Amino acid sequence: MKRSSPLRPSLRRRLLVFLLIPMAVLLLLDALLSYGVALTYANRVHDRDLGGDALTLAKMLGKDPHGGRLTPQARFLLEYDPVGRSYFSVSSSRHGLLAGDGRLARLVAASVPDATPTLYNTRLDGHTLRAADVRVTTADDPGDSLTVVVAETLRDRHEQAREILLLAVVMQTFLIACVLSLVWFGVSRGLRVLEPLTARLASRSDELAPIDGPDVPQEIQPLTRTIDALFGRLRGMLALHDRFIADAAHQLRTPLAGLSLHVDRALADPRPETLSDAFDHIQRLTRRAARTSSQLLALTRAQAAPADTGDYRLLDLARLIPEAVSQRVYEAIRAGVDLGYEGRQEPLYILGDAAGLQDLLDNLIDNAVRYAGRGSDITVRLQARDGGGATLSVEDNGPGVPTELLPRLSERFFRVGGSQEQGSGLGLAIVRRIAGRHHAEVVFRNGQERGLRVDVHFPPPPAALTSTA
């Protein structure tokens, strides 16, 4: 069975949902409010009519010489109600109930004669009634008074309120449908502003230039800026890739050509002395190619790593640097070099990457061992800086470097002329790159008497981290 693909998100659908739900809630609240307003209006109209009916009937009966007697026709008209039920009662203060429902008369409180009608709610036969009573004096007997009560059920009021609500809901629903249609049309038209950007991206092949421009809406500028930042990182990675290929081709061309030459020489002359000399050259060239390759990879890793990374942690250089130096002692002895360490015993913290610092120190020591020569002294020092931070120094007593060439020592493939050592010219470039990732400064200077000294000044770590160390 073929599985259906998941529904892709849609801006139009999302906007409509965000608008439809609040509008539905507003429609419901508006319906409740409209019903309340309509019921209030219906109650006001019916109360006015009910009070007017009671007052009119009372005045008419008060002037009647028959003493408030109702004809059958009048009784029918008072009780007739096509949508509900009406009640009435007429009572005399001297003669008691004259007409109507006596139960209704018993519910009437004493009222002031010839006053305005009194409106109130009451219950009768299980129905809630709205009643109006009025008291008037009779014309033929000033000592007597008539109390007239007219009441009706609430059915008619609610029926009218529902009719008003239905009309309002129909109109408001139609209005909301029109608004949503306009929103759909507006969103569709508004999203067309993205078409130039889409066409511009579709026309590209391998171009990684920024896509942000004056025609990009400000609402999607965060997206375009993020894409531009990604393009920038990709351009950097591609440039780094191209540079690595060019550097590898440039640096490995000479040793590979030498290897081919000495292999041909060994094949052409099989004498033992020729083979021995050729194999000796092949071994040196192989080591040179291997070192150059490893240095190129190290430089590429250092260049590709971001300047700020969450993997950095608090490192104690007073413990890390002596351990790293001790790992190079036997190699220095084989090279005829006296490698020593001078530093403090108290903890000295920086924020960094332990593997990167190991590569930095190894390249500084390799550079010193290679160019200082046999019989030289190399000293690794660790000192605290004024104001916080640390300074890592590697100093040798070799031939040193001319002062005018010191600023070029960290350039890729730069080597001081006259040196007998075959290096790649990448070690100090790697050092500067790793130091830059740690926001550290690299300073090259000649020793007090002779030799070269390289200082790496590390900034202090954040106070919040040192307080928890």
Side-chain angles (χ1 to χ4, degrees):
M1 178 182 294
K2 184 178 180 181
R3 298 180 60 182
S4 59
S5 59
L7 188 63
R8 296 182 63 86
S10 169
L11 286 177
R12 293 184 182 89
R13 210 167 40 242
R14 190 177 182 89
L15 288 174
L16 284 177
V17 169
F18 282 161
L19 290 173
L20 185 59
I21 294 177
M23 284 188 175
V25 174
L26 288 177
L27 179 61
L28 177 61
L29 295 177
D30 184 69
L32 296 176
L33 181 61
S34 298
Y35 183 76
V37 171
L39 186 59
T40 301
Y41 176 75
N43 284 330
R44 185 178 302 172
V45 172
H46 278 259
D47 283 351
R48 184 172 63 244
D49 293 343
L50 191 64
D53 291 343
L55 184 60
T56 301
L57 180 61
K59 289 182 178 180
M60 181 183 68
L61 294 178
K63 297 178 182 179
D64 186 2
H66 298 289
R69 301 294 178 178
L70 291 177
T71 64
Q73 293 81 3
R75 181 187 298 273
F76 173 77
L77 291 176
L78 286 173
E79 293 180 344
Y80 175 74
D81 186 355
V83 294
R85 185 175 178 185
S86 296
Y87 299 83
F88 80 97
S89 70
V90 179
S91 58
S92 170
S93 58
R94 288 185 176 183
H95 306 290
L97 182 67
L98 301 179
D101 196 328
R103 295 174 300 170
L104 190 62
R106 289 194 295 271
L107 299 175
V108 178
S111 58
V112 179
D114 301 321
T116 58
T118 302
L119 296 167
Y120 54 91
N121 290 335
T122 187
R123 290 188 64 83
L124 192 64
D125 294 334
H127 300 290
T128 300
L129 303 179
R130 185 68 170 168
D133 68 60
V134 63
R135 185 178 179 188
V136 295
T137 57
T138 60
D140 57 346
D141 187 0
D144 190 12
S145 63
L146 294 179
T147 301
V148 177
V149 182
V150 178
E152 65 181 4
T153 61
L154 303 180
R155 178 180 176 183
D156 189 31
R157 302 165 184 249
H158 290 286
E159 188 70 26
Q160 291 183 1
R162 283 193 292 269
E163 291 176 359
I164 297 175
L165 173 64
L166 181 61
L167 292 175
V169 168
V170 171
M171 294 178 60
Q172 290 164 0
T173 303
F174 176 74
L175 179 62
I176 288 178
C178 293
V179 170
L180 289 178
S181 299
L182 290 176
V183 169
W184 178 272
F185 177 76
V187 169
S188 300
R189 295 282 296 181
L191 290 178
R192 290 184 183 179
V193 75
L194 300 179
E195 292 179 358
L197 177 61
T198 304
R200 199 160 61 238
L201 288 174
S203 63
R204 293 187 177 188
S205 55
D206 54 356
E207 184 182 357
L208 294 178
I211 63 174
D212 197 9
D215 60 341
V216 175
Q218 62 180 356
E219 288 80 8
I220 66 168
Q221 276 189 342
L223 174 62
T224 57
R225 289 171 181 169
T226 303
I227 295 176
D228 287 343
L230 174 62
F231 282 175
R233 292 192 294 271
L234 288 176
R235 287 196 302 272
M237 294 299 296
L238 291 176
L240 189 63
H241 177 266
D242 295 340
R243 183 184 302 173
F244 174 79
I245 294 176
D247 292 344
H250 177 270
Q251 290 299 112
L252 297 177
R253 183 184 299 114
T254 300
L256 291 177
L259 286 173
S260 178
L261 175 64
H262 288 290
V263 169
D264 292 341
R265 178 183 162 207
L267 292 175
D269 188 359
R271 289 180 299 171
E273 57 272 18
T274 303
L275 292 176
S276 178
D277 183 68
F279 288 157
D280 183 60
H281 281 85
I282 289 173
Q283 185 180 38
R284 289 201 303 272
L285 290 171
T286 303
R287 290 175 179 172
R288 177 182 173 185
R291 175 170 175 76
T292 300
S293 300
S294 63
Q295 290 289 81
L296 283 172
L297 290 173
L299 178 61
T300 302
R301 286 196 301 269
Q303 291 174 333
D308 297 308
T309 173
D311 294 336
Y312 283 9
R313 56 189 180 89
L314 206 61
L315 301 175
D316 181 11
L317 292 184
R319 182 184 62 83
L320 182 65
I321 298 302
E323 292 178 357
V325 172
S326 64
Q327 297 175 10
R328 304 300 302 274
V329 170
Y330 296 107
E331 182 180 346
I333 293 175
R334 288 197 301 269
V337 174
D338 184 9
L339 177 63
Y341 170 76
E342 297 178 4
R344 50 184 283 166
Q345 300 296 324
E346 297 82 5
L348 188 56
Y349 293 104
I350 69 165
L351 190 65
D353 169 32
L357 292 178
Q358 179 74 52
D359 289 340
L360 181 144
L361 183 60
D362 285 343
N363 278 281
L364 288 177
I365 294 176
D366 286 344
N367 185 77
V369 170
R370 184 174 297 274
Y371 294 104
R374 298 185 67 85
S376 60
D377 297 334
I378 300 175
T379 304
V380 179
R381 295 186 180 89
L382 181 63
Q383 298 173 326
R385 298 179 63 190
D386 295 336
T391 297
L392 173 64
S393 303
V394 177
E395 183 177 7
D396 62 69
N397 60 353
V401 176
T403 304
E404 64 274 11
L405 297 180
L406 288 176
R408 300 190 57 190
L409 287 181
S410 59
E411 294 180 5
R412 295 162 56 248
F413 307 120
F414 176 78
R415 298 179 65 248
V416 178
S419 175
Q420 300 300 318
E421 291 293 330
Q422 297 294 322
S424 63
L426 296 174
L428 296 181
I430 296 173
V431 168
R432 183 175 290 277
R433 185 63 187 178
I434 296 176
R437 286 167 45 198
H438 290 78
H439 305 286
E441 179 187 8
V442 181
V443 178
F444 302 101
R445 57 175 175 163
N446 286 316
Q448 295 181 354
E449 298 181 358
R450 56 178 299 185
L452 176 68
R453 175 171 175 169
V454 183
D455 294 331
V456 183
H457 302 297
F458 292 96
L465 293 178
T466 56
S467 61
T468 58

